Amino acid sequence: MLSRAECSLCDQLLAELAGELSPEEAATVQVVDVDSDPELVRKYGHRVPVLLADDDFVCDYRLDRARVRAIAG
């Protein structure tokens, strides 16, 4: 998940995601600060949070539960 400091939407998406995943799956979620990488800032700018699975776009801003469930299987 791409995030940034003091982002309430990011916190909300992460909490909702944790509720959709098993504890084992939730433990594997990596949160990356967009501002830590100039390339990510260039690519995503203010478009956070962004959820990726194996570098494939899943959703942004709001959790797409149906897509998460399909991917998590």
Side-chain angles (χ1 to χ4, degrees):
M1 182 180 126
L2 302 177
S3 181
R4 79 173 11 106
E6 299 182 33
C7 171
S8 61
L9 275 179
C10 300
D11 296 339
Q12 181 178 348
L13 190 141
L14 188 58
E16 291 175 7
L17 180 61
E20 290 295 321
L21 302 175
S22 70
E24 295 80 19
E25 292 169 324
T28 67
V29 174
Q30 295 179 358
V31 178
V32 176
D33 185 346
V34 161
D35 297 321
S36 70
D37 182 335
E39 181 63 22
L40 291 175
V41 171
R42 185 193 66 74
K43 187 171 183 178
Y44 294 101
H46 293 286
R47 187 179 142 208
V48 292
V50 176
L51 184 61
L52 305 171
D54 298 323
D55 293 325
D56 293 327
F57 176 81
V58 177
C59 59
D60 57 7
Y61 302 114
R62 304 277 183 215
L63 185 65
D64 184 335
R65 287 181 166 80
R67 291 206 57 192
V68 169
R69 289 176 187 146
I71 292 167

